[in-house]
Amino acid sequence: MDNLKKRNLTFFTIGLIFMLSGVEYAVILPTIWRYLQILEAPPYFLGLGLSAFSLSGLLTGPVFGYWSDHSKSTKGIVLFSNVFEIVGNFMYFIGYSKWLLLGSRLVAGIGAGAGSSIFGFLTRSTRPEERAGIFAAIMACRQAGLLVGPAFNLFLRLCDFRVGPFVVNKYTSPGIFMCLLWVLLQFVVLALYWDVPPLSSTEGGTAMVEMKQDEGSEGEEDVLLMDQDQVSQTYRAVNADLLENSSEMHPVRRVSNPFKNFSASREFLREEVVVLLTAQFITLFNQTALETMVTPMTQRYFSFGELGNSLMYSLCGVEVILGFFFVRWLSRTVSDRAMLAVGLVICCAACIWCLIFLCEPRGGYEWMLSAFIIGVFLQLLGLPFVAVSQVSLFSKVTAEKTQGFSQGVRRSVGGVATILGPLWAGGLTNNLYIMLGMMLALLTLISVMTALSYERLTEPRQVECAHSSDSGG
């Protein structure tokens, strides 16, 4: 089997992993509140249960990323992390007490931390020009899981039997169902996931190798040994293994530790990185705040029940999936920073619309429903633009050799946002001016930051080449 086929099968498996994470969220979220009530848990346990998954994921993400950067392998990490998903969901199925239920979400969240290793692998296995499209497809897979998840609940809610000492009902069945799915996924990973080598010089590295050779006989050694400050001014996604193993270059000293001369402050406190991490936080903070706000709003103004909300979420899922694939197509001709700017403009427009028309609804039922649909449509329209572009840009402005750890830091920032967003919105469902006003203020902040740093939001190689052409002219 050639490397291209292995690469495609691996990408397919990664898509399944993200799809299962979406299915898990969709089958557990609708029943966890009633499940906790049966276990006599106080109301605040719902927030703890939902936040526990994000908390353990944000803590373990950088650890898994650091591990993958050192080992240059992700298959073993994925298999190891899936064990936590299996154990966590089985604990959810047992559910003898509210504390066991809380612990189950903490354990399952550890498995989600492997996403940083996967994004690091994707960065090393894709060319910069195709990366946004690959990321968009992977994110669409999770949305597909969120979309099909409720369909599984249609038969899970019919479960009412015992297996030995365990009760299988509509509250416990999501746990054993997801446990079995993650077990099946282990076999898929074993069969179809490959630690394919990074792209060869014939697929995009030759030009860079030749450019480095032209700089002089000492250039090859400097590629690996230069100070981190100098590296930040050059193309950071150059594959070190490519330069070491290329037959066109003289032998160079191998650097086995990817974190040699690594400085977190120099890596993450650069202007463009701060902007992208801020975009990650604000995007997920606003998204989770809106998810928290929508259900109480539809109940108050439109008297939506479970069926109405399920239909609404299904339509939202279809829009987001179509949006991701549109961004995938658009990424072939439009730069990441341009898509980020477009997405922020759409999100700001959506927030302003909601402030004007939803905080104090006027008119009849049809007008209020139309205003609500337009606001939600605009919010979801901007999401794929911002989500894909900031992830793709982040992978290009941070060092490839420590990409797993960097992606772990990025996902941890997002994890903090997914914890704080619902907490912020949960207490302000009756004060939409304050809630939406804060969201608009955050969007304005990141829009201004993006505008001021627009020239730096690109691959360092492109900046360097542009400066070289200017001086040559």
Side-chain angles (χ1 to χ4, degrees):
M1 189 184 301
D2 60 23
N3 281 338
L4 180 60
K5 189 172 183 179
K6 290 180 179 179
R7 179 174 178 261
N8 291 336
L9 288 174
T10 302
F11 287 177
F12 170 77
T13 307
I14 290 173
L16 285 181
I17 294 172
F18 277 81
M19 184 175 179
L20 245 62
S21 70
V23 171
E24 180 177 343
Y25 184 86
V27 299
I28 286 180
L29 184 64
T31 57
I32 188 173
W33 171 229
R34 181 59 184 153
Y35 196 1
L36 286 167
Q37 287 180 317
I38 292 173
L39 297 173
E40 300 180 349
Y44 65 82
F45 255 74
L46 176 61
L48 290 178
L50 296 177
S51 300
F53 187 89
S54 298
L55 177 63
S56 54
L58 73 88
L59 292 176
T60 57
V63 177
F64 281 123
Y66 183 87
W67 180 7
S68 65
D69 288 336
H70 267 286
S71 65
K72 303 299 181 184
S73 172
T74 55
K75 183 174 182 176
I77 296 173
V78 171
L79 290 169
F80 177 72
S81 66
N82 285 350
V83 172
F84 289 96
E85 290 279 9
I86 294 169
V87 173
N89 279 287
F90 189 76
M91 291 169 60
Y92 187 91
F93 164 64
I94 296 173
Y96 283 125
S97 72
K98 59 181 181 290
W99 295 107
L100 184 62
L101 203 68
L102 179 62
S104 74
R105 301 314 294 154
L106 277 170
V107 173
I110 295 174
S116 58
S117 300
I118 292 175
F119 275 105
F121 167 81
L122 290 172
T123 298
R124 290 187 286 266
S125 305
T126 55
R127 293 184 297 271
E129 60 270 18
E130 68 176 350
R131 196 169 299 155
I134 297 294
F135 287 166
I138 295 301
M139 292 178 182
C141 288
R142 186 178 189 278
Q143 291 298 322
L146 292 171
L147 187 61
V148 302
F152 292 117
N153 273 332
L154 293 178
F155 73 84
L156 290 176
R157 67 186 180 88
L158 301 177
C159 294
D160 188 15
F161 57 91
R162 298 182 69 93
V163 178
F166 304 115
V167 176
V168 183
N169 55 35
K170 63 181 179 180
Y171 304 117
T172 62
S173 57
I176 192 63
F177 175 71
M178 290 309 307
C179 179
L180 293 175
L181 286 184
W182 285 109
V183 169
L184 291 175
L185 184 68
Q186 291 288 73
F187 293 102
V188 176
V189 173
L190 285 170
L192 302 181
Y193 195 107
W194 304 83
D195 280 312
V196 293
L199 292 175
S200 66
S201 59
T202 58
E203 296 181 36
T206 303
M208 196 64 197
V209 172
E210 293 175 349
M211 187 167 65
K212 292 296 178 184
Q213 282 184 309
D214 291 341
E215 293 178 0
S217 59
E218 298 179 355
E220 299 91 343
E221 194 76 17
D222 292 340
V223 171
L224 296 178
L225 303 179
M226 67 200 321
D227 183 77
Q228 187 73 20
D229 287 332
Q230 293 172 291
V231 174
S232 65
Q233 302 301 321
T234 60
Y235 183 38
R236 303 191 60 92
V238 176
N239 189 335
D241 290 334
L242 167 66
L243 297 179
E244 292 169 5
N245 298 328
S246 173
S247 60
E248 296 181 12
M249 296 184 63
H250 302 296
V252 296
R253 182 159 59 110
R254 173 177 290 274
V255 178
S256 58
N257 182 7
F259 289 89
K260 184 177 182 180
N261 298 325
F262 175 82
S263 170
S265 60
R266 286 198 295 260
E267 181 74 354
F268 300 123
L269 295 183
R270 289 180 290 117
E271 179 182 331
E272 60 272 28
V273 177
V274 171
V275 170
L276 294 173
L277 290 177
T278 304
Q280 167 83 352
F281 178 87
I282 292 175
T283 300
L284 289 176
F285 179 90
N286 285 1
Q287 179 187 346
T288 52
L290 284 170
E291 289 174 354
T292 305
M293 172 197 77
V294 162
T295 302
M297 179 177 285
T298 57
Q299 182 181 21
R300 183 191 314 158
Y301 294 129
F302 312 117
S303 301
F304 280 8
E306 291 182 1
L307 179 61
N309 282 326
S310 297
L311 179 60
M312 177 188 66
Y313 280 117
S314 297
L315 293 174
C316 290
V318 171
E319 181 193 351
V320 172
I321 291 173
L322 293 176
F324 276 120
F325 280 104
F326 176 71
V327 169
R328 174 181 169 85
W329 171 79
L330 198 64
S331 66
R332 301 172 184 172
T333 56
V334 179
S335 67
D336 292 336
R337 60 181 179 178
M339 288 196 295
L340 177 61
V342 170
L344 290 174
V345 169
I346 295 174
C347 288
C348 287
C351 210
I352 292 172
W353 175 277
C354 292
L355 273 169
I356 296 174
F357 294 106
L358 297 183
C359 290
E360 292 184 4
R362 299 179 179 85
Y365 181 89
E366 292 79 8
W367 164 249
M368 287 194 300
L369 183 60
S370 300
F372 175 78
I373 291 174
I374 293 173
V376 172
F377 174 81
L378 289 175
Q379 290 283 0
L380 297 178
L381 181 63
L383 175 63
F385 286 88
V386 178
V388 173
S389 58
Q390 57 93 4
V391 177
S392 179
L393 272 173
F394 187 83
S395 72
K396 296 172 183 177
V397 301
T398 51
E400 182 184 290
K401 63 182 181 179
T402 56
Q403 191 65 205
F405 179 75
S406 297
Q407 292 291 343
V409 171
R410 180 189 65 79
R411 287 171 63 87
S412 293
V413 170
V416 173
T418 60
I419 294 173
L420 296 181
L423 293 177
W424 168 257
L428 294 171
T429 53
N430 294 320
N431 297 279
L432 295 183
Y433 275 119
I434 297 176
M435 194 191 82
L436 292 171
M438 172 60 76
M439 291 170 57
L440 181 60
L442 291 174
L443 284 169
T444 303
L445 171 65
I446 187 57
S447 298
V448 172
M449 291 174 66
T450 300
L452 294 176
S453 305
Y454 192 78
E455 294 300 322
R456 298 185 65 88
L457 294 175
T458 186
E459 296 174 58
R461 178 180 60 176
Q462 295 177 353
V463 174
E464 182 180 289
C465 292
H467 289 170
S468 299
S469 61
D470 290 342
S471 61

